[in-house]
Amino acid sequence: MRRTPIVILGMLCLLAAALWPGSGAVRSADETRVLCSILPVYAFTQAVVGDDPHVSVELLVPSQAGCPHDYSLRPRDVQAVLAADVIVTHGLGAETFLNDPAFAEKQTSMLSISDTCEAIFVGDHEQCDHEHDHEHEANIHAWVSPAQAVRQARLLKDKLPARLPMAGRERYRANADTLIQRLEALDREYRTASQQFANRTIVTFHEAFDYLARDYGLEVAATMSGAHSESPSAGQLAGIVDTILKAKPGAIFHEPASPESHRLAKTLSAETGIPAYSLNPLNQTESDTTLDAHERVMRQNLHTLTTALGNTR
């Protein structure tokens, strides 16, 4: 007999309760459990919560997992979702694994940080509105653009403190203000530097840098893979080479967590003479999940962009 997703998830929950480390531990009566879906969400939420001992902030999708589109929930993940008081998600379709009917009662616990972002939809060249476009799949990588990260931090300030302990709400808002100021400074650095780029055309591995390109005046001439990082066929690769030769981009960018992107970039660079560099979308890291990691990676990206695209000054 075929089991429904709800039955399967229920069985997973029972298994998780048996296997979860510390599942028998007594939970503090005044502890608020905040579960963050993916790495960038965790970094921003952690910055807002700070070191409040009455709030635990946990990461659902492991930082080593990469793209959330490919992630399947483990039994312990199901248990974590059901046990959370607040679930902070990225939104824009990043967390399809939370759409199961078994999580229907948790929907009111979920807070998306991208609701005010200027969304880009895969296959569209124009910006789309959340309310009138439901036929296209959203590009999830808003956090890669500091301009959109500022919007996410502002939403966290507006929405998250009300879901946390009342005694700490002024501190959460102050922490959020600090986060916003740091991200605004990062945004200004990008805007100032990008105005001086000598070549504004780039090639990327996949759509991870579309927000960054749009917000800072760059043009993505081609991507090396499909929406979910599928490898191109020989014919598609030849077409990408032709596009690069015509567009004359300043650089081809691969991603540090993807050996496939490095291989493709090396091949394209050899075929076209365009140099290849590493650009990091912060979708995977071994251990560092702090706000400092986000800022450091984004500043390193800016340094790489400036090196690769030249400077008119």
Side-chain angles (χ1 to χ4, degrees):
M1 181 177 69
R2 182 179 179 183
R3 290 184 170 89
T4 66
I6 295 177
V7 172
I8 294 172
L9 274 175
M11 295 172 64
L12 288 174
C13 291
L14 291 174
L15 178 61
L19 299 178
W20 185 276
S23 60
V26 177
R27 177 179 175 181
S28 172
D30 62 351
E31 179 187 58
T32 299
R33 288 185 177 179
V34 179
L35 183 66
C36 301
S37 59
I38 61 175
L39 178 59
V41 176
Y42 177 83
F44 296 156
T45 302
Q46 186 182 58
V48 173
V49 172
D51 58 359
D52 191 330
H54 302 296
V55 181
S56 65
V57 181
E58 301 173 5
L59 176 62
L60 178 64
V61 178
S63 59
Q64 301 90 346
C67 183
H69 281 302
D70 304 321
Y71 190 70
S72 297
L73 292 179
R74 305 163 297 177
R76 65 174 56 194
D77 297 331
V78 175
Q79 181 72 4
V81 172
L82 296 177
D85 298 302
V86 182
I87 302 170
V88 187
T89 68
H90 181 270
L92 298 177
E95 296 91 358
T96 55
F97 47 77
L98 293 179
N99 293 339
D100 194 282
F103 295 142
E105 293 185 1
K106 302 301 295 186
Q107 296 301 314
T108 57
S109 303
M110 296 184 189
L111 168 64
S112 166
I113 70 170
S114 296
D115 286 352
T116 60
C117 285
E118 299 170 306
I120 293 174
F121 287 77
V122 177
D124 284 0
H125 297 290
E126 299 296 331
Q127 175 182 314
C128 294
D129 190 307
H130 283 287
E131 296 182 357
H132 72 252
D133 192 305
H134 302 285
E135 298 178 356
H136 297 80
E137 179 183 3
N139 183 323
I140 70 170
H141 302 89
W143 70 84
V144 181
S145 165
Q148 301 306 312
V150 169
R151 287 174 174 262
Q152 294 172 332
R154 288 174 179 163
L155 188 145
L156 277 174
K157 178 187 175 181
D158 290 342
K159 302 293 185 181
L160 183 59
R163 302 184 181 217
L164 300 178
M166 183 176 294
R169 289 177 185 174
E170 288 189 13
R171 183 170 64 253
Y172 307 140
R173 293 188 182 97
N175 290 343
D177 282 334
T178 299
L179 170 63
I180 292 166
Q181 290 165 8
R182 291 168 67 168
L183 292 173
E184 286 176 336
L186 187 61
D187 176 43
R188 288 193 297 271
E189 291 177 31
Y190 265 80
R191 292 187 187 282
T192 299
S194 64
Q195 290 172 2
Q196 303 297 326
F197 291 158
N199 188 325
R200 312 188 74 81
T201 304
I202 62 176
V203 173
T204 61
F205 176 51
H206 71 314
E207 80 281 6
F209 298 98
D210 285 3
Y211 285 94
L212 185 149
R214 181 199 64 189
D215 292 344
Y216 301 105
L218 304 180
E219 179 183 354
V220 180
T223 57
M224 292 180 265
S225 65
H228 298 301
S229 305
E230 302 96 339
S231 297
S233 66
Q236 290 170 328
L237 196 61
I240 295 171
V241 168
D242 288 342
T243 297
I244 292 174
L245 291 173
K246 292 175 182 176
K248 297 181 172 59
I252 299 167
F253 292 112
H254 55 86
E255 299 176 17
S258 171
E260 174 69 4
S261 76
H262 188 273
R263 182 187 68 79
L264 286 171
K266 184 176 180 180
T267 298
L268 291 172
S269 181
E271 290 288 332
T272 64
I274 303 298
Y277 298 84
S278 177
L279 209 59
N280 190 346
L282 193 67
N283 59 2
Q284 185 172 346
T285 182
E286 287 301 318
S287 60
D288 196 345
T289 56
T290 64
L291 172 65
D292 289 342
H294 177 269
E295 288 187 69
R296 184 171 60 256
V297 166
M298 295 306 134
R299 284 199 168 89
Q300 179 58 51
N301 283 347
L302 181 56
H303 174 76
T304 300
L305 287 165
T306 302
T307 300
L309 302 182
N311 197 307
T312 58
R313 289 183 295 182

Short mmCIF file of all heavy atoms in Angstrom, two decimals, residues 27-78:
data_model
loop_
_atom_site.label_atom_id
_atom_site.label_comp_id
_atom_site.label_asym_id
_atom_site.label_seq_id
_atom_site.Cartn_x
_atom_site.Cartn_y
_atom_site.Cartn_z
N ARG A 27 13.33 20.76 28.17
CA ARG A 27 13.46 22.07 27.55
C ARG A 27 13.17 23.16 28.57
O ARG A 27 12.22 23.07 29.34
CB ARG A 27 12.47 22.18 26.38
CG ARG A 27 12.47 23.53 25.69
CD ARG A 27 11.49 23.53 24.55
NE ARG A 27 11.38 24.85 23.97
CZ ARG A 27 10.57 25.14 22.95
NH1 ARG A 27 9.80 24.20 22.43
NH2 ARG A 27 10.53 26.37 22.46
N SER A 28 13.98 24.19 28.57
CA SER A 28 13.76 25.32 29.47
C SER A 28 12.41 25.95 29.17
O SER A 28 12.04 26.16 28.01
CB SER A 28 14.88 26.36 29.28
OG SER A 28 14.58 27.53 30.01
N ALA A 29 11.67 26.28 30.23
CA ALA A 29 10.31 26.80 30.06
C ALA A 29 10.30 28.14 29.34
O ALA A 29 9.31 28.48 28.69
CB ALA A 29 9.64 26.92 31.42
N ASP A 30 11.37 28.92 29.48
CA ASP A 30 11.38 30.25 28.87
C ASP A 30 12.25 30.33 27.62
O ASP A 30 12.58 31.41 27.15
CB ASP A 30 11.83 31.30 29.89
CG ASP A 30 13.26 31.07 30.37
OD1 ASP A 30 13.83 30.00 30.05
OD2 ASP A 30 13.81 31.95 31.06
N GLU A 31 12.62 29.18 27.07
CA GLU A 31 13.45 29.17 25.85
C GLU A 31 12.58 29.28 24.61
O GLU A 31 11.57 28.59 24.47
CB GLU A 31 14.27 27.89 25.77
CG GLU A 31 15.15 27.82 24.52
CD GLU A 31 15.83 26.48 24.35
OE1 GLU A 31 15.12 25.45 24.29
OE2 GLU A 31 17.06 26.46 24.29
N THR A 32 12.99 30.17 23.70
CA THR A 32 12.34 30.28 22.40
C THR A 32 13.26 29.67 21.35
O THR A 32 14.41 30.09 21.22
CB THR A 32 12.05 31.75 22.04
OG1 THR A 32 11.17 32.31 23.01
CG2 THR A 32 11.42 31.86 20.66
N ARG A 33 12.76 28.69 20.65
CA ARG A 33 13.56 28.01 19.64
C ARG A 33 13.32 28.66 18.28
O ARG A 33 12.20 28.66 17.78
CB ARG A 33 13.21 26.53 19.57
CG ARG A 33 13.70 25.72 20.75
CD ARG A 33 13.43 24.25 20.54
NE ARG A 33 13.95 23.46 21.63
CZ ARG A 33 13.84 22.13 21.71
NH1 ARG A 33 13.21 21.46 20.75
NH2 ARG A 33 14.34 21.48 22.74
N VAL A 34 14.39 29.18 17.68
CA VAL A 34 14.32 29.78 16.35
C VAL A 34 15.09 28.88 15.39
O VAL A 34 16.28 28.62 15.60
CB VAL A 34 14.92 31.20 16.34
CG1 VAL A 34 14.86 31.79 14.94
CG2 VAL A 34 14.19 32.10 17.34
N LEU A 35 14.41 28.41 14.37
CA LEU A 35 15.03 27.54 13.37
C LEU A 35 15.17 28.31 12.08
O LEU A 35 14.20 28.87 11.56
CB LEU A 35 14.15 26.30 13.15
CG LEU A 35 14.71 25.26 12.19
CD1 LEU A 35 15.97 24.61 12.75
CD2 LEU A 35 13.64 24.18 11.90
N CYS A 36 16.38 28.38 11.54
CA CYS A 36 16.66 29.12 10.30
C CYS A 36 16.92 28.12 9.18
O CYS A 36 17.65 27.15 9.35
CB CYS A 36 17.89 30.02 10.48
SG CYS A 36 17.69 31.23 11.79
N SER A 37 16.32 28.38 8.04
CA SER A 37 16.34 27.39 6.96
C SER A 37 17.73 27.20 6.35
O SER A 37 18.23 26.08 6.27
CB SER A 37 15.35 27.79 5.88
OG SER A 37 15.66 29.08 5.35
N ILE A 38 18.37 28.28 5.90
CA ILE A 38 19.64 28.17 5.18
C ILE A 38 20.66 29.14 5.75
O ILE A 38 20.33 30.02 6.54
CB ILE A 38 19.45 28.39 3.67
CG1 ILE A 38 18.89 29.79 3.38
CG2 ILE A 38 18.57 27.31 3.07
CD1 ILE A 38 18.79 30.12 1.89
N LEU A 39 21.89 28.97 5.33
CA LEU A 39 23.03 29.68 5.91
C LEU A 39 22.89 31.20 5.97
O LEU A 39 23.09 31.78 7.04
CB LEU A 39 24.30 29.28 5.15
CG LEU A 39 25.61 29.93 5.57
CD1 LEU A 39 25.92 29.65 7.03
CD2 LEU A 39 26.74 29.43 4.68
N PRO A 40 22.57 31.91 4.89
CA PRO A 40 22.46 33.37 5.01
C PRO A 40 21.39 33.81 6.00
O PRO A 40 21.56 34.79 6.72
CB PRO A 40 22.13 33.83 3.58
CG PRO A 40 22.57 32.70 2.70
CD PRO A 40 22.34 31.46 3.50
N VAL A 41 20.27 33.08 6.02
CA VAL A 41 19.19 33.38 6.96
C VAL A 41 19.68 33.22 8.39
O VAL A 41 19.40 34.04 9.27
CB VAL A 41 17.98 32.46 6.70
CG1 VAL A 41 16.88 32.69 7.73
CG2 VAL A 41 17.45 32.67 5.29
N TYR A 42 20.42 32.18 8.62
CA TYR A 42 20.98 31.91 9.95
C TYR A 42 21.92 33.04 10.38
O TYR A 42 21.86 33.51 11.53
CB TYR A 42 21.72 30.58 9.93
CG TYR A 42 22.41 30.22 11.23
CD1 TYR A 42 21.71 29.62 12.27
CD2 TYR A 42 23.77 30.46 11.39
CE1 TYR A 42 22.34 29.27 13.45
CE2 TYR A 42 24.40 30.12 12.58
CZ TYR A 42 23.70 29.53 13.59
OH TYR A 42 24.33 29.19 14.77
N ALA A 43 22.79 33.47 9.47
CA ALA A 43 23.75 34.52 9.81
C ALA A 43 23.05 35.81 10.21
O ALA A 43 23.40 36.44 11.22
CB ALA A 43 24.69 34.77 8.63
N PHE A 44 22.04 36.22 9.45
CA PHE A 44 21.33 37.47 9.74
C PHE A 44 20.49 37.35 11.02
O PHE A 44 20.47 38.27 11.85
CB PHE A 44 20.43 37.87 8.57
CG PHE A 44 21.16 38.18 7.30
CD1 PHE A 44 20.54 38.06 6.07
CD2 PHE A 44 22.48 38.59 7.32
CE1 PHE A 44 21.20 38.36 4.89
CE2 PHE A 44 23.17 38.88 6.15
CZ PHE A 44 22.53 38.76 4.93
N THR A 45 19.82 36.22 11.20
CA THR A 45 18.99 36.02 12.38
C THR A 45 19.84 35.97 13.64
O THR A 45 19.49 36.55 14.68
CB THR A 45 18.17 34.73 12.25
OG1 THR A 45 17.37 34.80 11.07
CG2 THR A 45 17.27 34.52 13.45
N GLN A 46 20.97 35.30 13.55
CA GLN A 46 21.89 35.20 14.69
C GLN A 46 22.37 36.59 15.09
O GLN A 46 22.51 36.90 16.28
CB GLN A 46 23.07 34.31 14.31
CG GLN A 46 24.02 34.01 15.46
CD GLN A 46 25.19 33.16 14.99
OE1 GLN A 46 25.92 33.55 14.08
NE2 GLN A 46 25.36 32.00 15.57
N ALA A 47 22.60 37.45 14.11
CA ALA A 47 23.06 38.81 14.40
C ALA A 47 21.98 39.60 15.15
O ALA A 47 22.29 40.41 16.02
CB ALA A 47 23.43 39.53 13.11
N VAL A 48 20.71 39.37 14.81
CA VAL A 48 19.61 40.08 15.47
C VAL A 48 19.39 39.57 16.89
O VAL A 48 19.23 40.34 17.83
CB VAL A 48 18.31 39.96 14.65
CG1 VAL A 48 17.13 40.55 15.42
CG2 VAL A 48 18.47 40.66 13.30
N VAL A 49 19.41 38.27 17.06
CA VAL A 49 19.17 37.68 18.38
C VAL A 49 20.33 37.95 19.33
O VAL A 49 20.14 38.21 20.52
CB VAL A 49 18.92 36.16 18.25
CG1 VAL A 49 18.88 35.50 19.63
CG2 VAL A 49 17.63 35.91 17.49
N GLY A 50 21.55 37.94 18.80
CA GLY A 50 22.72 38.16 19.65
C GLY A 50 22.95 36.99 20.59
O GLY A 50 22.70 35.83 20.24
N ASP A 51 23.39 37.29 21.80
CA ASP A 51 23.74 36.23 22.75
C ASP A 51 22.68 36.01 23.81
O ASP A 51 22.97 35.63 24.94
CB ASP A 51 25.08 36.55 23.41
CG ASP A 51 25.08 37.89 24.13
OD1 ASP A 51 24.04 38.59 24.09
OD2 ASP A 51 26.11 38.24 24.74
N ASP A 52 21.43 36.25 23.48
CA ASP A 52 20.33 36.07 24.42
C ASP A 52 20.25 34.61 24.86
O ASP A 52 20.01 33.72 24.04
CB ASP A 52 19.02 36.49 23.77
CG ASP A 52 17.87 36.58 24.76
OD1 ASP A 52 17.89 35.82 25.76
OD2 ASP A 52 16.96 37.39 24.55
N PRO A 53 20.43 34.32 26.16
CA PRO A 53 20.40 32.93 26.63
C PRO A 53 19.01 32.30 26.59
O PRO A 53 18.88 31.08 26.73
CB PRO A 53 20.91 33.03 28.07
CG PRO A 53 20.54 34.41 28.50
CD PRO A 53 20.68 35.26 27.27
N HIS A 54 17.98 33.12 26.39
CA HIS A 54 16.62 32.61 26.37
C HIS A 54 16.14 32.26 24.96
O HIS A 54 15.00 31.85 24.78
CB HIS A 54 15.67 33.64 26.98
CG HIS A 54 16.01 34.01 28.38
ND1 HIS A 54 15.97 33.11 29.43
CD2 HIS A 54 16.45 35.18 28.91
CE1 HIS A 54 16.34 33.71 30.54
NE2 HIS A 54 16.64 34.96 30.25
N VAL A 55 17.02 32.46 23.96
CA VAL A 55 16.67 32.17 22.57
C VAL A 55 17.76 31.30 21.96
O VAL A 55 18.94 31.66 22.01
CB VAL A 55 16.50 33.46 21.74
CG1 VAL A 55 16.11 33.11 20.30
CG2 VAL A 55 15.47 34.38 22.37
N SER A 56 17.37 30.18 21.41
CA SER A 56 18.32 29.34 20.67
C SER A 56 18.09 29.53 19.18
O SER A 56 16.94 29.58 18.73
CB SER A 56 18.15 27.86 21.04
OG SER A 56 16.88 27.38 20.62
N VAL A 57 19.16 29.69 18.43
CA VAL A 57 19.09 29.86 16.98
C VAL A 57 19.80 28.68 16.34
O VAL A 57 20.98 28.45 16.59
CB VAL A 57 19.73 31.19 16.54
CG1 VAL A 57 19.61 31.35 15.02
CG2 VAL A 57 19.10 32.37 17.26
N GLU A 58 19.08 27.94 15.53
CA GLU A 58 19.62 26.74 14.91
C GLU A 58 19.51 26.82 13.39
O GLU A 58 18.63 27.50 12.86
CB GLU A 58 18.88 25.49 15.41
CG GLU A 58 18.94 25.31 16.92
CD GLU A 58 18.06 24.17 17.41
OE1 GLU A 58 17.48 23.48 16.55
OE2 GLU A 58 17.93 24.00 18.63
N LEU A 59 20.40 26.10 12.72
CA LEU A 59 20.42 26.04 11.26
C LEU A 59 19.83 24.71 10.82
O LEU A 59 20.25 23.65 11.29
CB LEU A 59 21.86 26.19 10.75
CG LEU A 59 22.09 26.06 9.24
CD1 LEU A 59 21.34 27.15 8.49
CD2 LEU A 59 23.59 26.12 8.94
N LEU A 60 18.85 24.75 9.93
CA LEU A 60 18.20 23.52 9.45
C LEU A 60 19.03 22.81 8.39
O LEU A 60 19.48 21.70 8.58
CB LEU A 60 16.81 23.85 8.91
CG LEU A 60 16.01 22.67 8.34
CD1 LEU A 60 15.71 21.65 9.43
CD2 LEU A 60 14.71 23.16 7.70
N VAL A 61 19.24 23.46 7.25
CA VAL A 61 20.02 22.86 6.17
C VAL A 61 21.51 23.04 6.48
O VAL A 61 21.97 24.17 6.63
CB VAL A 61 19.69 23.51 4.81
CG1 VAL A 61 20.54 22.91 3.70
CG2 VAL A 61 18.20 23.33 4.50
N PRO A 62 22.27 21.97 6.62
CA PRO A 62 23.69 22.10 6.99
C PRO A 62 24.45 23.03 6.05
O PRO A 62 24.16 23.09 4.85
CB PRO A 62 24.22 20.66 6.88
CG PRO A 62 23.00 19.80 7.03
CD PRO A 62 21.87 20.57 6.41
N SER A 63 25.41 23.76 6.62
CA SER A 63 26.14 24.75 5.83
C SER A 63 26.95 24.10 4.71
O SER A 63 27.35 24.77 3.76
CB SER A 63 27.07 25.56 6.74
OG SER A 63 27.99 24.71 7.40
N GLN A 64 27.19 22.79 4.81
CA GLN A 64 27.94 22.10 3.75
C GLN A 64 27.04 21.60 2.63
O GLN A 64 27.53 21.07 1.64
CB GLN A 64 28.69 20.89 4.35
CG GLN A 64 29.66 21.24 5.46
CD GLN A 64 29.02 21.22 6.84
OE1 GLN A 64 27.80 21.19 6.97
NE2 GLN A 64 29.85 21.26 7.88
N ALA A 65 25.72 21.77 2.76
CA ALA A 65 24.78 21.12 1.84
C ALA A 65 24.70 21.78 0.48
O ALA A 65 24.30 21.16 -0.49
CB ALA A 65 23.39 21.06 2.47
N GLY A 66 25.03 23.06 0.39
CA GLY A 66 24.93 23.75 -0.89
C GLY A 66 23.51 24.20 -1.18
O GLY A 66 22.78 24.62 -0.29
N CYS A 67 23.10 24.10 -2.44
CA CYS A 67 21.81 24.65 -2.88
C CYS A 67 20.64 23.96 -2.18
O CYS A 67 20.53 22.72 -2.20
CB CYS A 67 21.67 24.49 -4.39
SG CYS A 67 20.13 25.22 -5.04
N PRO A 68 19.73 24.73 -1.56
CA PRO A 68 18.59 24.11 -0.86
C PRO A 68 17.61 23.42 -1.79
O PRO A 68 16.81 22.60 -1.34
CB PRO A 68 17.94 25.30 -0.14
CG PRO A 68 18.35 26.51 -0.92
CD PRO A 68 19.74 26.20 -1.40
N HIS A 69 17.64 23.75 -3.09
CA HIS A 69 16.74 23.10 -4.04
C HIS A 69 16.93 21.58 -4.03
O HIS A 69 15.99 20.82 -4.29
CB HIS A 69 16.99 23.61 -5.46
CG HIS A 69 16.37 24.95 -5.73
ND1 HIS A 69 15.03 25.20 -5.60
CD2 HIS A 69 16.93 26.11 -6.14
CE1 HIS A 69 14.77 26.45 -5.91
NE2 HIS A 69 15.90 27.04 -6.24
N ASP A 70 18.15 21.14 -3.74
CA ASP A 70 18.48 19.72 -3.83
C ASP A 70 18.40 19.02 -2.48
O ASP A 70 18.76 17.84 -2.38
CB ASP A 70 19.89 19.54 -4.41
CG ASP A 70 20.04 20.21 -5.77
OD1 ASP A 70 19.08 20.14 -6.55
OD2 ASP A 70 21.10 20.80 -6.03
N TYR A 71 17.94 19.72 -1.45
CA TYR A 71 18.00 19.16 -0.10
C TYR A 71 16.75 18.35 0.24
O TYR A 71 15.63 18.76 -0.08
CB TYR A 71 18.17 20.28 0.93
CG TYR A 71 18.48 19.76 2.31
CD1 TYR A 71 19.72 19.18 2.59
CD2 TYR A 71 17.54 19.84 3.33
CE1 TYR A 71 20.01 18.70 3.86
CE2 TYR A 71 17.82 19.36 4.61
CZ TYR A 71 19.06 18.79 4.85
OH TYR A 71 19.34 18.32 6.11
N SER A 72 16.96 17.21 0.88
CA SER A 72 15.86 16.38 1.38
C SER A 72 15.95 16.33 2.91
O SER A 72 17.03 16.12 3.47
CB SER A 72 15.95 14.95 0.81
OG SER A 72 15.82 14.97 -0.60
N LEU A 73 14.82 16.53 3.56
CA LEU A 73 14.80 16.55 5.02
C LEU A 73 15.15 15.19 5.60
O LEU A 73 14.66 14.15 5.15
CB LEU A 73 13.42 16.97 5.52
CG LEU A 73 12.99 18.42 5.25
CD1 LEU A 73 11.59 18.65 5.81
CD2 LEU A 73 13.97 19.41 5.87
N ARG A 74 15.99 15.21 6.62
CA ARG A 74 16.31 14.02 7.39
C ARG A 74 15.31 13.91 8.54
O ARG A 74 14.63 14.88 8.89
CB ARG A 74 17.73 14.13 7.95
CG ARG A 74 18.81 14.38 6.90
CD ARG A 74 20.10 14.86 7.54
NE ARG A 74 19.89 16.14 8.21
CZ ARG A 74 20.84 16.79 8.91
NH1 ARG A 74 22.04 16.25 9.04
NH2 ARG A 74 20.59 17.95 9.48
N PRO A 75 15.21 12.75 9.20
CA PRO A 75 14.31 12.62 10.34
C PRO A 75 14.54 13.68 11.41
O PRO A 75 13.60 14.24 11.96
CB PRO A 75 14.60 11.21 10.87
CG PRO A 75 15.01 10.45 9.63
CD PRO A 75 15.80 11.44 8.81
N ARG A 76 15.79 13.99 11.70
CA ARG A 76 16.07 15.00 12.72
C ARG A 76 15.63 16.40 12.26
O ARG A 76 15.29 17.25 13.09
CB ARG A 76 17.56 15.01 13.09
CG ARG A 76 18.50 15.44 11.97
CD ARG A 76 19.93 15.56 12.48
NE ARG A 76 20.38 14.32 13.08
CZ ARG A 76 21.47 14.20 13.84
NH1 ARG A 76 22.20 15.27 14.10
NH2 ARG A 76 21.83 13.04 14.33
N ASP A 77 15.64 16.64 10.96
CA ASP A 77 15.17 17.93 10.44
C ASP A 77 13.67 18.08 10.66
O ASP A 77 13.18 19.15 11.02
CB ASP A 77 15.48 18.06 8.94
CG ASP A 77 16.96 18.03 8.63
OD1 ASP A 77 17.75 18.46 9.50
OD2 ASP A 77 17.33 17.59 7.53
N VAL A 78 12.94 17.00 10.40
CA VAL A 78 11.50 17.02 10.61
C VAL A 78 11.20 17.33 12.07
O VAL A 78 10.32 18.15 12.39
CB VAL A 78 10.87 15.67 10.20
CG1 VAL A 78 9.38 15.64 10.53
CG2 VAL A 78 11.09 15.40 8.72
#
